[in-house]
Each structure stands twice: as C-alpha cells, then as structure tokens.
Amino acid sequence: MDKKKLQAALKHLPLGGLRYDEQVGSTNDIALAWANEKSIADYSLVLANEQTAGRGRDGRKWQTPADSALALSLILLPNSDEKKNLALFTALGAVALVATLKTNYAINAEIKWPNDVLIEGKKIAGILVEANWLGDQPKAVVLGMGINIRPRAVPPAEMLNFPATSLDDAVGTSTRRLDVLAGLLSQIIAWRPRLGTDKMVSVWDGHLAYKGQQVEVRVRDGQVIHGRVLGINPDGSLRLDTVPSIHFGDVHLRPSRV
Ligand code: BT5
C-alpha cells in the first residue's frame, strides 16, 4: 500500500494518528501498546499490508496475506457511557462494515453474532475488540478488523472453521482497498454516537444472520445451547426461543445441521 495514497484517502477523516507498516505481527498488538502512551488520541489508526501473527478470538489465528486484505486496529477512547458496555464496539464495527458494503457496493451483508460479517453465508470479515485497562476502568478500546478484499486473502478450506469469501468475489470485480477503508472509517465515526441506541440495535438486528433459524451456540464451558434465533436484545445479547439472552464472551454460533 502506498503511504501517500493512504494519507490522501484518509485526509478528510478526523484521525488522531496513523501508523502504517508493510508487515506486522498483529495490528491489535501494536495498537494496544500505542494506546498505553500518554499522548494517545481518539481515532488513532494502525494499518498493515500483511500480518504474520494476526489474532482471532480465544487464541485462534487470523490470516492476512500481503496485498490482499485490510488489517486495521482503530483506537477509541471510550467516554463514561461507552465504558459501560464494551461489547457494543464489536457491533459498531459490524454495523459500520455492513453499511459500507451496502452504500459502496450494493451488497446486503449479514452479521453472525457476535463478531463476523458474512456475505451469502460466507465470512468476509472478523472483528476482535480488546481494551487497555487502568484498574477496573477501560482506558482505550482497540477495534480490530480483518477484511478479505482479494480472493487470495481467503485461507485454504482446511484452515477454516467456517466458509469464507472476499469482497472481489462478491462484487465480481476488483475493488479498491482504500475505498473500503475510507468508507468503513467514515461509517464507524458516523455510527459511534449511536452506540447502543435503539437505532443501532435495530440495524444490527435487521442484518442478523440465521434469523428465525435453528442454531447451536457453544458457550465458554463447552455447553451447547440449541434454539431458534429471535433477535438482538437492547444490551447486544442474543435472544433465542430457548434462552432469553446469551452474552458476549467466548461463544460460537453455527447453523444447526438439521
Ligand atoms: C475473528 O476471530 O474473526 C476475529 C479476527 C480479527 C482479525 C483482525 S485483523 C486486524 C486485527 N489484528 C489482529 O491481530 N486481529 C484483528 P474468530 O471468530 O476467532 O475467527 C478466527 C477463525 O477464522 C480462524 O480460526 C480461521 O478458521 C478463520 N480465519 C482465519 N483467517 C481468516 C480469513 N482471512 N478469512 C476468513 N476466515 C479466516
């Protein structure tokens, strides 16, 4: 990625800072370290062309081969309201990406609760939100997003626990990474003041994958909950017909093979 073109594409956005590297381990790691600095500003962005140790949840790996994807970590300094429910930042990333795909590419994407964006049932993006804590208070939130743009960003099937796709495959032509990035950041900035509002929850709910379908959700202790997806609750938890609210954490949702 050309740094000058990158700066030009983002110059209209109120970013607090920008770090771009050709190759990093994980942009989230860089962002978490950067966020510890006293001078850190809201909307500071870490971006890389390639990740060699990209992270998913629960120790899983996220693949970002060179020249093929977006790997970004946006540092957000939460206000007192935002601090109350950090899980909503995952939804912020998902809702913003869904809005970008709709506005820029007329694609109707879906959100697989809690942290994946799907196009036609295949994962195009994963989201990993982490935070720096000062005592029991989150000081900075890192919104990490990995988005497959070129088909070669998609790992071989044997490395995947869920089918995956890329934006170029979905659109049928070659898209521009910088357009996606600038669109996404604008949407994040536009949606952030509505974090956790009825409006945001209803858009999230409106794009929820597997609505009305039977799913299984594996929760932290290995227990599997079966039920039909009813929707998103106001606090961002998932509502099934069998369980009124399943909260964020280490959860895995799959369509049932029935
Ligand atoms: C996620 O985890 O989906 C969150 C991924 C977040 C990645 C971003 S990239 C920028 C920032 N820096 C980081 O280090 N991380 C964030 P999870 O739900 O645990 O899914 C991980 C699983 O997705 C893996 O075990 C693979 O099966 C699959 N996977 C790995 N790379 C993929 C890719 N490029 N596309 C689709 N699926 C992938």
Side-chain angles (χ1 to χ4, degrees):
M1 217 178 258
D2 180 292
K3 192 152 185 204
K4 282 215 174 86
K5 283 189 186 156
L6 172 63
Q7 281 164 338
L10 304 183
K11 72 171 187 299
H12 63 292
L13 297 169
L15 296 186
L18 173 62
R19 285 196 182 178
Y20 172 74
D21 282 295
E22 278 300 312
Q23 190 192 68
V24 299
S26 153
T27 55
N28 263 33
D29 287 344
I30 293 177
L32 286 167
W34 192 12
N36 263 333
E37 291 179 16
K38 267 212 180 79
S39 57
I40 191 68
D42 206 16
Y43 292 121
S44 293
L45 177 67
V46 178
L47 187 74
N49 189 42
E50 178 182 6
Q51 291 188 117
T52 55
R55 293 190 282 111
R57 294 175 303 147
D58 194 30
R60 286 186 292 273
K61 292 197 166 72
W62 182 262
Q63 308 292 333
T64 310
D67 307 320
S68 62
L70 285 171
L72 63 108
S73 298
L74 186 64
I75 298 171
L76 302 166
L77 303 182
N79 64 30
S80 49
D81 278 343
E82 292 172 339
K83 282 178 185 175
K84 289 179 196 150
N85 193 348
L86 295 189
L88 291 173
F89 283 100
T90 303
L92 174 66
V95 165
L97 181 56
V98 164
T100 307
L101 296 175
K102 178 81 187 160
T103 307
N104 296 16
Y105 305 99
I107 286 177
N108 282 316
E110 290 188 309
I111 301 170
K112 180 163 86 70
W113 189 92
N115 73 320
D116 295 336
V117 175
L118 310 181
I119 297 179
E120 290 180 0
K122 295 179 181 169
K123 182 161 168 173
I124 186 188
I127 302 173
L128 179 67
V129 169
E130 297 179 298
N132 271 348
W133 294 81
L134 207 61
D136 61 354
Q137 288 290 310
K139 179 177 172 274
V141 171
V142 169
L143 170 54
M145 299 182 68
I147 307 167
N148 298 329
I149 306 292
R150 310 273 171 255
R152 66 177 179 277
V154 178
E158 63 271 17
M159 290 174 71
L160 295 176
N161 58 7
F162 194 85
T165 190
S166 67
L167 182 60
D168 285 3
D169 271 341
V171 174
T173 179
S174 185
T175 56
R176 282 165 42 99
R177 279 191 294 173
L178 288 182
D179 290 346
V180 183
L181 176 67
L184 173 66
L185 293 170
S186 305
Q187 291 287 353
I188 290 173
I189 291 165
W191 275 101
R192 186 176 175 191
R194 288 175 279 180
L195 194 78
T197 59
D198 291 352
K199 173 72 185 162
M200 185 175 141
V201 173
S202 82
V203 170
W204 186 7
D205 188 75
H207 290 87
L208 191 63
Y210 314 121
K211 235 342 179 17
Q213 293 178 37
Q214 216 35 55
V215 296
E216 47 190 57
V217 183
R218 188 158 53 81
V219 291
R220 196 183 289 274
D221 58 5
Q223 186 200 350
V224 177
I225 300 172
H226 295 267
R228 199 161 52 84
V229 175
L230 296 184
I232 298 287
N233 293 312
D235 65 355
S237 59
L238 182 71
R239 190 164 71 255
L240 302 183
D241 62 348
T242 49
V243 179
S245 60
I246 301 177
H247 289 272
F248 274 58
D250 183 28
V251 289
H252 299 274
L253 184 148
R254 294 280 179 278
S256 294
R257 285 180 285 271
V258 286

